[in-house]
Amino acid sequence: MILTSKRILMGNEAIAFGAMKAGLQVASGYPGTPSTEVMETIASHASKYGIYAEWATNEKVALETAVGAAYSGANTLVTMKQVGLNVASDPLMSLSYIGVKGSLVILVSDDPGPHSSQTEQDTRAFGHFSNIPVLDPSTPQEAYDMAKLAFRLSHEMEIPVILRTTTRVSHGCADVVTEDIEPAGRDIEGYVKEPRWTIFPKLTAQRHPWLEDLQIRISDRFSDHFSENTFNSISKGNSKIGIASSGVSSLYTNEATNKQTGTFSHFKLATVHPFPEKAALEFLSDITDLIVIEELDPYLEEQFLQLIGRHHLDVNVYGKKNGHFPVSGEYDVDVVIEGVNSSLQSMNAEVPLLTHSTPVVARENIPSLPVRPPTFCAGCMHRTVFYAFKKAAAKLKKENGKGTVFSGDIGCYTLGNAQPLNMVDTCLCMGAGISMAAGLSHTQQYQEGNYAKQVAFIGDSTFFHSGIAAMISAVYNNADITLAVLDNRTTAMTGHQPHPGIGLTAMGNPTKAIDIAEVLRSCGVDLVETIEADDLGKCIETAKMAIEYEGPSAVVFKGKCVGITKATGQYVIDEEKCTGCNFCVSQLGCPAIFSMSSGIPQIQDNCTGCSLCAQVCPSDAIDLREVLQ
Amino acid sequence: MKFDILIAGVGGQGVVLASRLLATAAIDAGYHVATAETIGMAQREGSVTSHVRIGDEVCGSLIPAGNADLIIGLEPAEAARNIHFLSKDGSIVVNEHAVIPSASANNAEYIPEHVIEFLKENCQETINVDFTQLAKEAGTYRATNVAMLAAAAGADLLPFNPEELWSVLEKMVPEKYRELNRKAFDMSLERVSGMKDPEKQEQVQVQAMDT
């Protein structure tokens, strides 16, 4: 008997439990919002269920690690966010030709909006590109159930399967029915030598027809929605208008149309790639107009358009391509109502339009409110380092008239772009700050002496992710750059995961800690300094020295993320001494300090006692009030 | 049954924990629940919201505009920023304590009292208390979120009562902070107990004059 229990789970936790129920044995990933909690949940249950779980240095490494284990017959999972899949795309594209033994599920979280990503890219398109099946759950419960389906499918078809979620599934919580998990154990066949595991042009040519044939077989299987639970469903309406949707958009569709239940036929797709053509054709046979509702790319819309064209069907399609639905941004019930109404008006349907609820105050009637852009936390060490480089660069500019370009990177420190620091001149993707600084240093403008030096900032986890190769390339190619490593002893942005510099694995076991300064020295950087980030004067001095050094230089700034440490005290403004110059506010942008247009600044409860404001105050008017225990 | 709650605040105020507590209480009461929470970059001192949808049917986690039965605003401007989610019969529980953004954001003057007035003008059932001060009196400003949930339950604005809510809190709050949170919870209940009942309110005022 399978024992079940109902509990509140975040979608990511539900996926972890689904994977563990499916017999997961090896898991690897790199943290990235909104995917991170899948691996965190597995790591915290790993020893209990006999699973091996790790944080890899990047997504390519994570995938390759899982592939190795899968070749040995293990049930494996690899986790990442949508931009992480770009990093892992090299092994992925080859892997689809080769396939796997055991099972391999790739959890990729997309971020429509985007809330915390560089792009709004759609992993369904990556499935199409790489010929890998994609499952698209709409709720945490489906995420749990479809994680199990993904492992089953991967094992049976001998191909990796992508389980793709979006933010509202990954980071939404819901009541989820889960089953008791038996420890999986490490009982696997083991690696068996076969030519099949070594990719060569000849093998690729042999495997390609298999891969293409597999697409048709899986499409047929996904179409078979009545005999097997594929999570696809078709409900018939009493009009000739149909709606097709996938993922969380299916729920928005249900809610948007719930006052007209029975009007529209609804095809909810959960197995989105390979497109279940037979089921789609059956759905299209009863309708004259099709509204496609999906976030991100018009993936389903294109699949339907192709199918309709190929079969010469007389069905009009309404979606992103003809402007009825937005092509970017996150959807919700209101967006869906607007899109459906626009479609209905366009088709002159004799169906009443959908209605919005009436808010007590319309959004446009809300008076102007203070904006609250995300910024460094109060007490964050990054603020000190960025401010130090700002001061050092200003001094150099004064001395020799040369400017400095600051290349940022991906992590908490991307927020160095916020006013008043304004210290991120370029930011592209992880590791790019170093390579871009190198590229900038090889331009004529720099060679002609208009710039002092190219400065790149990178965090500790990102340094291990993709900073090392960039630094080696920069040194090898004589790029004149200064690297500032912002080492706050954790992967802060995604929720404080350990990394190779910490000396602790994902499962909490002690391991060898890799010293970033030593890595930099062995990369050929001649000037490498390591300093604590709490003394502003020393930080400015060191920054200036590193910039002035001829050739590649690096400074590792060490501090501790305030997200995982306790406040050391609180500062207060001495009203007697304060001249109201507002220097502390205008220079630092610390969220603990504010000032009204009249009066002296004040320090709020979130002060952690970092002392930076006291160090910059020209009147010595900021004092430590109490040292908290 | 369908009951939608929007919790709004500033990163670090405990919005996510508040929504988890409500969601757990909803499951214990036998409902389906769906939440949408702000996690990641936006949390760094930015505006954060959590949507909590409680009901008999599984639904998407984002509340449509004009659908929220209750807004819990841990900060006045954040409550106002999200008032377009509130339905015509909805209620607001709002913290009077403002978190003022650093002036570097180039903001116009933020006067929290004006924002509270705006909320009261647009929502008849608005409960406004300096919950941060109340939590400080109980022992720590960090218990503000718990105090506000207690106020909502105590004022009968949730689909479960204060005892049901506390039994969830008791399970979820670590033991060393439990007593402190209980104190904030009780002080908040007492504070709102008079607000819905004019007779009691009068007594509270009389007591206040005595002391």
Side-chain angles (χ1 to χ4, degrees):
Chain A
M1 194 181 77
I2 298 170
L3 294 172
T4 62
S5 60
K6 185 175 163 181
R7 52 181 156 169
I8 179 160
L9 289 180
M10 183 192 270
N12 282 341
E13 294 171 317
I15 290 164
F17 284 110
M20 292 189 289
K21 178 64 195 170
L24 175 68
Q25 289 161 314
V26 174
S28 185
Y30 186 79
T33 310
S35 74
T36 314
E37 295 83 1
V38 177
M39 187 59 68
E40 287 192 322
T41 307
I42 292 166
S44 67
H45 289 78
S47 36
K48 186 175 168 190
Y49 297 129
I51 298 164
Y52 170 75
E54 65 167 33
W55 287 120
T57 46
N58 66 35
E59 295 83 355
K60 171 179 149 71
V61 172
L63 176 57
E64 290 156 354
T65 305
V67 168
Y71 283 0
S72 304
N75 295 321
T76 62
L77 175 74
V78 54
T79 73
M80 61 196 70
K81 67 183 295 183
Q82 88 282 24
V83 278
L85 187 60
N86 301 340
V87 179
S89 64
D90 194 8
L92 184 77
M93 299 305 284
S94 298
L95 179 65
S96 59
Y97 281 79
I98 291 207
V100 292
K101 208 163 78 175
S103 57
L104 174 63
V105 175
I106 305 167
L107 178 276
V108 189
S109 299
D110 286 358
D111 187 19
H115 295 274
S116 46
S117 302
Q118 301 94 298
T119 65
E120 278 196 288
Q121 74 193 49
D122 193 325
T123 294
R124 295 176 305 170
F126 233 120
H128 185 70
F129 184 30
S130 59
N131 283 317
I132 289 175
V134 181
L135 310 181
D136 190 12
S138 61
T139 63
Q141 181 72 59
E142 270 192 6
Y144 174 83
D145 293 328
M146 291 183 88
K148 294 194 301 175
L149 171 68
F151 278 93
R152 212 162 59 229
L153 200 65
S154 174
H155 186 66
E156 285 172 27
M157 298 290 181
E158 299 194 338
I159 188 151
V161 172
I162 294 175
L163 179 62
R164 173 263 197 175
T165 56
T166 52
T167 310
R168 297 304 169 192
V169 175
S170 325
H171 277 169
C173 291
D175 46 310
V176 177
V177 177
T178 59
E179 301 130 302
D180 274 8
I181 298 167
E182 296 292 325
R186 302 272 177 82
D187 201 11
I188 53 170
E189 187 189 347
Y191 182 80
V192 179
K193 289 190 182 192
E194 277 183 59
R196 181 189 161 190
W197 305 127
T198 309
I199 197 159
F200 260 105
K202 192 178 166 210
L203 181 68
T204 302
Q206 278 170 2
R207 292 292 281 180
H208 200 170
W210 164 82
L211 182 59
E212 295 299 335
D213 176 61
L214 188 66
Q215 305 306 303
I216 297 162
R217 286 194 283 136
I218 298 177
S219 168
D220 287 350
R221 181 168 165 164
F222 285 171
S223 284
D224 197 5
H225 61 279
F226 296 111
S227 64
E228 190 192 0
N229 190 1
T230 57
F231 305 93
N232 298 328
S233 67
I234 291 178
S235 61
K236 302 267 184 190
N238 53 30
S239 73
K240 289 276 183 190
I241 304 167
I243 295 178
S245 66
S246 90
V248 75
S249 299
S250 299
L251 299 181
Y252 302 148
T253 301
N254 289 342
E255 188 167 352
T257 59
N258 68 4
K259 285 179 197 142
Q260 290 183 42
T261 315
T263 304
F264 306 98
S265 295
H266 186 187
F267 185 8
K268 169 183 169 285
L269 284 108
T271 60
V272 287
H273 180 82
F275 190 63
E277 292 194 351
K278 287 180 180 164
L281 275 173
E282 181 196 316
F283 176 69
L284 290 168
S285 66
D286 285 342
I287 61 173
T288 55
D289 295 276
L290 174 68
I291 304 171
V292 187
I293 303 176
E294 57 188 328
E295 290 175 310
L296 300 169
D297 288 350
Y299 167 77
L300 293 180
E301 190 178 350
E302 283 173 2
Q303 298 297 319
F304 273 108
L305 283 168
Q306 275 186 34
L307 199 63
I308 288 164
R310 242 187 306 132
H311 291 267
H312 308 289
L313 302 178
D314 191 9
V315 177
N316 297 308
V317 177
Y318 304 84
K320 295 173 193 273
K321 293 202 169 254
N322 43 11
H324 296 289
F325 285 84
V327 290
S328 63
E330 187 173 33
Y331 282 19
D332 57 24
V333 173
D334 294 301
V335 169
V336 169
I337 290 175
E338 291 291 327
V340 170
N341 284 348
S342 164
S343 308
L344 292 176
Q345 281 165 333
S346 180
M347 65 180 85
N348 288 319
E350 287 177 4
V351 168
L353 295 182
L354 307 179
T355 51
H356 293 277
S357 303
T358 318
V360 73
V361 178
R363 187 192 276 263
E364 55 273 20
N365 295 334
I366 299 173
S368 75
L369 294 165
V371 269
R372 224 183 272 281
T375 179
F376 292 136
C377 300
C380 176
M381 62 163 279
H382 300 340
R383 181 176 288 104
T384 310
V385 179
F386 278 112
Y387 189 66
F389 271 91
K390 191 169 191 160
K391 288 285 135 186
K395 275 188 188 177
L396 285 165
K397 176 100 183 167
K398 213 171 171 184
E399 284 170 23
N400 59 23
K402 291 180 183 178
T404 312
V405 179
F406 300 101
S407 285
D409 219 298
I410 309 291
C412 278
Y413 41 89
T414 312
L415 295 168
N417 72 330
Q419 297 291 353
L421 291 170
N422 189 22
M423 283 289 287
V424 174
D425 297 323
T426 81
C427 183
L428 189 64
C429 63
M430 287 180 80
I434 296 173
S435 337
M436 286 169 70
L440 284 159
S441 83
H442 292 303
T443 60
Q444 198 182 357
Q445 199 182 22
Y446 173 79
Q447 307 286 347
E448 286 169 359
N450 295 331
Y451 282 95
K453 196 153 196 171
Q454 307 300 327
V455 176
F457 297 95
I458 198 165
D460 36 354
S461 186
T462 307
F463 177 78
F464 292 113
H465 178 282
S466 45
I468 297 172
M471 201 61 198
I472 291 172
S473 188
V475 173
Y476 167 61
N477 291 299
N478 298 312
D480 196 12
I481 68 171
T482 292
L483 177 67
V485 182
L486 300 154
D487 185 1
N488 62 358
R489 314 301 299 142
T490 187
T491 316
M493 182 63 105
T494 49
H496 309 111
Q497 293 75 28
H499 60 64
I502 303 297
L504 213 57
T505 68
M507 290 162 72
N509 300 320
T511 183
K512 194 169 266 189
I514 316 259
D515 187 273
I516 294 174
E518 290 301 327
V519 172
L520 286 166
R521 284 188 194 100
S522 67
C523 289
V525 184
D526 292 329
L527 179 79
V528 181
E529 292 282 326
T530 301
I531 67 165
E532 299 291 325
D534 50 7
D535 182 339
L536 177 65
K538 196 163 177 219
C539 287
I540 296 173
E541 207 177 287
T542 312
K544 189 164 179 281
M545 179 188 73
I547 295 176
E548 282 180 315
Y549 184 79
E550 274 184 38
S553 60
V555 187
V556 181
F557 292 92
K558 291 214 170 204
K560 282 207 175 95
C561 174
V562 293
I564 48 171
T565 48
K566 283 192 167 174
T568 54
Q570 279 213 329
Y571 279 82
V572 287
I573 309 234
D574 184 333
E575 301 194 8
E576 307 259 298
K577 289 192 200 161
C578 178
T579 61
C581 72
N582 260 319
F583 199 72
C584 52
V585 172
S586 64
Q587 294 290 299
L588 303 179
C590 173
I593 314 175
F594 73 95
S595 72
M596 297 299 194
S597 57
S598 56
I600 62 165
Q602 289 177 41
I603 299 179
Q604 308 184 86
D605 291 330
N606 51 344
C607 172
T608 68
C610 80
S611 84
L612 182 61
C613 56
Q615 292 183 62
V616 302
C617 176
S619 316
D620 205 15
I622 306 182
D623 303 318
L624 188 63
R625 182 171 58 190
E626 57 183 315
V627 177
L628 301 174
Q629 290 309 308
Chain B
M1 204 290 279
K2 182 99 209 87
F3 197 84
D4 290 342
I5 307 164
L6 188 133
I7 312 171
V10 178
Q13 280 195 308
V15 169
V16 170
L17 178 64
S19 76
R20 296 279 164 85
L21 291 167
L22 287 178
T24 308
I27 291 181
D28 286 359
Y31 297 113
H32 283 300
V33 65
T35 74
E37 295 160 351
T38 315
I39 295 172
M41 186 191 272
Q43 258 191 315
R44 306 279 185 267
E45 308 287 342
S47 300
V48 299
T49 57
S50 273
H51 296 220
V52 182
R53 310 196 72 189
I54 299 166
D56 297 319
E57 283 181 22
V58 173
C59 66
S61 53
L62 292 176
I63 301 170
N67 259 66
D69 299 283
L70 172 66
I71 288 180
I72 298 177
L74 276 78
E75 205 284 336
E78 298 314 314
R81 202 187 304 286
N82 291 286
I83 196 170
H84 60 288
F85 283 106
L86 194 67
S87 83
K88 294 209 149 160
D89 313 314
S91 323
I92 297 175
V93 177
V94 62
N95 187 8
E96 288 174 359
H97 179 86
V99 178
I100 316 251
S102 172
S104 61
N106 226 352
N107 276 316
E109 191 93 65
Y110 168 27
I111 303 166
E113 294 76 20
H114 292 181
V115 177
I116 301 274
E117 272 168 41
F118 164 76
L119 295 173
K120 294 178 89 153
E121 276 163 22
N122 287 287
C123 175
Q124 293 220 323
E125 191 149 31
T126 299
I127 294 178
N128 53 296
V129 170
D130 189 335
F131 288 102
T132 302
Q133 186 55 38
L134 186 146
K136 275 184 187 169
E137 282 162 23
T140 171
Y141 74 95
R142 294 191 181 278
T144 305
N145 53 357
V146 166
M148 294 196 67
L149 293 184
D156 240 351
L157 299 175
L158 292 176
F160 23 80
N161 61 39
E163 289 73 40
E164 288 169 317
L165 184 62
W166 178 255
S167 70
V168 170
L169 269 157
E170 204 167 22
K171 278 185 281 177
M172 290 178 70
V173 174
E175 198 183 342
K176 61 176 175 175
Y177 301 120
R178 208 168 288 155
E179 199 179 321
L180 203 150
N181 277 284
R182 179 76 224 194
K183 199 172 171 199
F185 193 89
D186 287 342
M187 281 171 66
S188 184
L189 278 184
E190 196 182 338
R191 188 69 169 268
V192 297
S193 66
M195 288 188 174
K196 300 261 291 187
D197 182 344
E199 209 172 292
K200 274 192 194 166
Q201 195 164 21
E202 211 167 286
Q203 286 172 2
V204 172
Q205 277 169 0
V206 170
Q207 278 175 1
M209 283 167 70
D210 286 346
T211 50

